[in-house]
Amino acid sequence: MKAIKLISIVLAVVMCAMAFVSCGKTETKENDDKTTVDTADTTASADNADGKDEDKVLTMATNAAFPPYEFVENGDYAGIDVEIAKAIAEKLGMELEIIDTEFGSIIGGVQSGKYDMGMAGMTVTDERKESVDFTTSYATGIQSVIVKADSEYTDFMEFYSELDEEGTPVAVKEGITIGVQQDTTGDIYSSSDPSGWGFGKENVIRYKTGNDAVQALVAGKVTAVIIDNEPAKSYVEANEGLKILDGAYTDEEYAICVAKDNTDLLDSINSALEELIDDGVVAEIVEKYIPSK
Ligand code: GLN
């Protein structure tokens, strides 16, 4: 129920479209604005007699620390988003260029035209829709709550000390601290007031990466970490002594974002993406990384 309320506040599931470019022959790694281009083949530009290769390149900004959606494996980008983006790019006859940057700078970069699209397990929210457009949604996620395996807590509702007659939180228990990855929906929702199903800014500690937040939990610096469910599972597997509480803190839809005035790109991506969804390609890619059994 709580989750549903929160959802209504937050979600608005947009479905837009995406369609991107092609397979990553050229991959760009950018960390805090430092860009290195691992080269590529130049064939993609060969059919561009005017030499305007960039017309055929689709730049995707992501944060490659969000398994299984995007991560680095053996020096290459891998994950659900990476494979879907490659398939979109291929359909569009474009060359995919992946730029790894901080999650919080993706939307601004897309808005300013620095990147063609942002694809990073990105949740569609009303607030983000004011800055960028979203494609059709290609996956769903939930925000999960990770605590220490020996935690006394079994549900995030126990983090509240008081509810009103309608069951809406009024106050947070003394001493509760929530670790989040900054600028993510886990951060945005947790940082709202209890009346908005958050825990109050003052009780939220924002870390640069999800892993930093999880390490703070391991070290006993926070009571819980609120983060998307799939990365949550990876972190719990990788770190002993943690568990995920039952239930969802929120339900979310993931989509690709593009600049608001880039309707052509939005339409192209959407038609490619919708074909990939209809043909079962997206489901296959998801199944590869998140096996249903
Ligand atoms: N789904 C979350 C969001 O959109 C987290 C995404 C991420 O960390 N890559 O805010």
Side-chain angles (χ1 to χ4, degrees):
M1 323 292 119
K2 352 154 188 179
I4 288 164
K5 277 206 175 185
L6 228 199
I7 297 163
S8 59
I9 297 168
V10 175
L11 276 188
V13 178
V14 174
M15 305 212 121
C16 295
M18 50 171 333
F20 275 120
V21 176
S22 119
C23 319
K25 301 257 166 116
T26 300
E27 292 200 341
T28 300
K29 296 186 183 179
E30 174 178 290
N31 286 308
D32 297 330
D33 281 75
K34 264 180 244 111
T35 305
T36 332
V37 179
D38 306 316
T39 147
D41 89 17
T42 42
T43 52
S45 47
D47 50 1
N48 262 355
D50 62 4
K52 287 169 91 185
D53 309 352
E54 59 279 7
D55 289 352
K56 299 281 271 176
V57 172
L58 177 65
T59 54
M60 161 182 162
T62 196
N63 175 238
F66 192 72
Y69 288 89
E70 40 268 324
F71 52 97
V72 177
E73 190 177 56
N74 304 323
D76 276 333
Y77 295 115
I80 295 170
D81 288 349
V82 172
E83 293 204 22
I84 294 175
K86 283 182 179 176
I88 290 170
E90 201 166 351
K91 275 198 184 284
L92 299 183
M94 297 174 81
E95 185 175 355
L96 184 69
E97 185 178 342
I98 296 174
I99 295 142
D100 186 14
T101 189
E102 275 180 28
F103 184 79
S105 45
I106 297 174
I107 288 184
V110 167
Q111 226 180 343
S112 71
K114 188 172 176 190
Y115 316 121
D116 295 323
M117 67 178 195
M119 191 171 189
M122 187 178 285
T123 304
V124 177
T125 71
D126 283 342
E127 205 189 351
R128 290 174 180 167
K129 277 158 66 185
E130 287 173 15
S131 311
V132 285
D133 282 342
F134 283 96
T135 63
T136 298
S137 170
Y138 60 88
T140 54
I142 61 174
Q143 291 294 310
S144 288
V145 183
I146 314 176
V147 293
K148 289 244 194 155
D150 59 2
S151 169
E152 63 192 276
Y153 296 105
T154 59
D155 187 304
F156 75 85
M157 286 304 287
E158 295 160 10
F159 298 162
Y160 296 113
S161 57
E162 196 188 334
L163 307 181
D164 67 14
E165 317 79 64
E166 277 158 18
T168 304
V170 174
V172 175
K173 256 185 205 157
E174 191 77 35
I176 293 287
T177 47
I178 308 295
V180 295
Q181 178 189 351
Q182 64 187 19
D183 300 316
T184 61
T185 44
D187 175 13
I188 297 162
Y189 305 159
S190 301
S191 300
S192 61
D193 291 335
S195 59
W197 296 89
F199 303 98
K201 255 195 174 88
E202 63 286 3
N203 298 315
V204 174
I205 306 183
R206 305 167 78 235
Y207 295 91
K208 218 165 170 180
T209 66
N211 189 47
D212 290 347
V214 169
Q215 295 317 315
L217 176 61
V218 169
K221 292 184 188 150
V222 294
T223 316
V225 167
I226 296 188
I227 194 160
D228 299 54
N229 56 320
E230 289 303 330
K233 284 189 222 158
S234 306
Y235 289 131
V236 168
E237 248 169 55
N239 294 275
E240 268 182 34
L242 300 180
K243 69 175 178 191
I244 298 174
L245 296 183
D246 287 341
Y249 177 59
T250 59
D251 292 322
E252 309 189 339
E253 297 273 346
Y254 295 165
I256 298 168
C257 69
V258 301
K260 275 199 164 294
D261 53 1
N262 209 345
T263 322
D264 286 352
L265 181 62
L266 182 70
D267 292 347
S268 309
I269 294 174
N270 265 336
S271 34
L273 178 59
E274 284 159 16
E275 270 175 41
L276 293 165
I277 292 172
D278 292 347
D279 296 349
V281 175
V282 167
E284 256 168 50
I285 295 172
V286 171
E287 180 69 26
K288 172 177 164 189
Y289 288 93
I290 310 174
S292 49
K293 39 163 100 164

